[in-house]
Amino acid sequence: MLDRINQLVEEIKSLAASSAEEAENLRIKYLSKKGLVSQLFDEFKTIPNEQKREVGKVLNVLKTQALDKINEIKEGFASNGQGEVGADLSLPGTSFELGSRHPLSIVKNEIVEIFSRLGFNVADGPEIEDDHHVFEALNFPPEHPARDMQDTFFIATNPDVLLRTHTSSVQVRVMEKQAPPIRAIFPGRVFRNEAISARAHCIFHQVEGLYIDKNVSFADLKQTLLYFSKELFGADTKIRLRPSYFPFTEPSAEMDISCTLCGGKGCNVCKYTGWVEILGCGMVDPAVLEASNIDSNEYTGFAFGMGIERITMLKYQIKDIRLFFENDKRFLDQFKSAGK
Ligand code: DAH
C-alpha cells in the first residue's frame, strides 16, 4: 500500500489541466468519494493496526498535496478569465453616469469668480434670521411692507424669528464682525411668501455685494458693475442705471443690461425696450453704516443685490423659474457641458 501511495504522490506533483473542465475531472478522479485518494482511505481501515501509524501519516500527506495541487490548478482558471467562475475581462465595463452642476450653481460660481478677480471675498450668513439683521439695521422703517406677514415667512413673532427675504442681511453680519475696508459678496438662498408662477418662486437665490472703504464713490460702483456685466454676459454688454429706492442705499438705482437676446434692438425677452433689469444697487445709506458702528464721516460704500435665477434665465433663455426646483433630469442634463 505504501508503494501505491508514494506513486500517487509523484503522479500528483506533475498534474496539469488545459481547461477548467479538465481540472474538475482531476478533482473527481482523485478527490471525489470514489476517487483514488478516497479509495486508499477505505483500504486503510483494513490494514493491520501496527502499520496504521506509518501508512496514515503518508496517506494524510497525499491528501493535502492532492487538495493543494488541484485547488491551485482550479484557481489558475478562475483568475485568468477562462474558467466558469472567473470574470470575463473582455466584457465592457459597467458605466456610471456623472452628474452635472445645477445651472444656478454654475452661474453662482461664475459670479463669485468674476468678483474675486476684483478682490471681493465670499461671506455667508444664516437663512433663519431676526428682524434686526433683515430689516432694522438696514434702515427699513417700522411700517415697511416688506416686514409684513404677506412678504416674510415668520417662524415666531416677538421676538421675531424669520426666513431672510434678501441676502442684504449678510451685510449687517459682516459689518458687525469686520472693520472697514470691506470688500465681499454673499451668495445665498432667500425666502418670500409669494405665489409660485413661471416668473416667481417662494425660494430663490441672490448674490449681495458690499464695498466699504474711504472715498468709495458712485463711479466705483458703476465701473464695478460694468466690468461684472461684460464679464458675465459678453464684452458688448452695455449697462444703464435708473434711479430707484431702497431703504439701505442713498442714492439707489436699478441696473439694466442691454438685452442679451437681441443686443438692444428689441424682442419679447426685453419687451421691445432693448434693456433688461438685473439688479438693485446704491451707495450705502449713512444710517446703515452707523447702525453697525461704522463712522459714516470717514467711510462710504456701495452695495448691490441680484437674483441668480433671473440672471440664469436670461443667460440660458429659460422660460420658467419652476424648472430650477423640480429636479427634472431632462432639464438638468442640458447643463452637462455648461461650466464649473
Ligand atoms: N435686497 C434687495 C432685494 O432683495 C436687492 C438690493 C438692492 C440689494 C439694492 C442691495 C442694494 O445691496 O443696494 O430686492
Side-chain angles (χ1 to χ4, degrees):
M1 190 173 174
L2 262 180
D3 284 349
R4 272 188 294 136
I5 296 174
N6 285 329
Q7 205 183 323
L8 270 188
V9 168
E10 286 310 307
E11 197 176 313
I12 277 163
K13 274 186 196 156
S14 54
L15 284 186
S18 58
S19 70
E21 201 182 342
E22 263 184 57
E24 172 63 7
N25 287 338
L26 289 179
R27 188 193 64 81
I28 293 168
K29 179 173 171 194
Y30 292 96
L31 295 169
S32 68
K33 264 201 177 142
K34 296 208 168 116
L36 293 174
V37 176
S38 313
Q39 278 174 27
L40 286 172
F41 270 91
D42 287 341
E43 214 176 295
F44 175 74
K45 290 176 197 148
T46 64
I47 63 171
N49 275 348
E50 60 273 19
Q51 290 179 17
K52 276 199 168 141
R53 202 180 142 85
E54 193 191 357
V55 178
K57 219 165 140 187
V58 261
L59 193 55
N60 276 326
V61 171
L62 168 69
K63 191 180 171 186
T64 6
Q65 280 186 352
L67 263 174
D68 287 353
K69 182 75 186 178
I70 289 169
N71 277 343
E72 185 190 307
I73 295 171
K74 286 199 147 198
E75 268 165 27
F77 290 110
S79 61
N80 72 8
Q82 292 176 22
E84 303 147 275
V85 280
D88 179 354
L89 297 184
S90 68
L91 276 177
T94 22
S95 64
F96 60 95
E97 234 184 304
L98 271 185
S100 55
R101 271 200 207 290
H102 193 282
L104 294 177
S105 300
I106 294 172
V107 170
K108 183 202 77 182
N109 291 347
E110 232 175 303
I111 295 171
V112 168
E113 204 185 297
I114 295 168
F115 280 106
S116 71
R117 292 206 286 273
L118 293 174
F120 283 74
N121 41 37
V122 175
D124 206 359
E127 292 175 357
I128 299 174
E129 265 291 8
D130 51 35
D131 184 272
H132 175 78
H133 290 89
V134 177
F135 300 125
E136 198 181 306
L138 287 166
N139 201 31
F140 276 79
E143 72 285 0
H144 196 284
R147 296 182 180 209
D148 205 298
M149 288 289 196
Q150 277 164 26
D151 282 315
T152 309
F153 288 115
F154 283 88
I155 294 166
T157 44
N158 217 359
D160 290 341
V161 181
L162 48 96
L163 299 180
R164 65 180 180 194
T165 54
H166 55 183
T167 43
S168 305
S169 55
V170 191
Q171 286 189 26
V172 183
R173 295 259 163 209
V174 169
M175 287 188 286
E176 276 171 355
K177 273 197 286 202
Q178 192 188 327
I182 294 169
R183 205 185 318 174
I185 56 168
F186 327 121
R189 188 157 44 175
V190 301
F191 308 85
R192 282 183 202 177
N193 190 5
E194 285 198 27
I196 297 170
S197 70
R199 313 208 48 170
H201 210 288
C202 58
I203 302 173
F204 58 102
H205 299 78
Q206 292 186 328
V207 177
E208 185 86 11
L210 180 67
Y211 184 12
I212 300 172
D213 204 345
K214 288 175 183 158
N215 303 318
V216 176
S217 73
F218 201 91
D220 297 322
L221 167 64
K222 192 172 175 187
Q223 192 58 34
T224 303
L225 294 179
L226 176 64
Y227 171 79
F228 161 72
S229 305
K230 284 174 179 283
E231 287 296 297
L232 190 65
F233 294 104
D236 296 334
T237 310
K238 294 183 195 57
I239 63 165
R240 164 173 101 166
L241 291 166
R242 283 178 290 105
S244 184
Y245 172 76
F246 298 101
F248 35 91
T249 43
E250 181 63 36
S252 304
E254 271 164 291
M255 189 184 87
D256 301 337
I257 55 162
S258 50
C259 180
T260 48
L261 196 66
C262 64
K265 287 192 205 76
C267 68
N268 64 355
V269 168
C270 59
K271 300 203 191 78
Y272 299 95
T273 63
W275 298 97
V276 271
E277 184 207 316
I278 64 157
L279 57 80
C281 60
M283 300 306 291
V284 180
D285 194 304
V288 172
L289 296 173
E290 296 295 339
S292 294
N293 292 322
I294 294 174
D295 185 351
S296 62
N297 292 315
E298 199 180 346
Y299 290 103
T300 52
F302 66 71
F304 55 87
M306 62 189 102
I308 304 181
E309 277 78 0
R310 187 172 169 71
I311 289 177
T312 310
M313 287 169 84
L314 265 177
K315 209 172 146 80
Y316 293 113
Q317 293 172 35
I318 297 162
K319 299 234 154 50
D320 194 322
I321 195 172
R322 289 169 291 200
L323 284 164
F324 292 127
F325 304 98
E326 282 167 355
N327 264 341
D328 186 334
K329 244 178 124 301
R330 291 168 301 178
F331 171 69
L332 298 173
D333 277 348
Q334 295 175 49
F335 298 90
K336 278 211 162 132
S337 60
K340 299 173 245 176

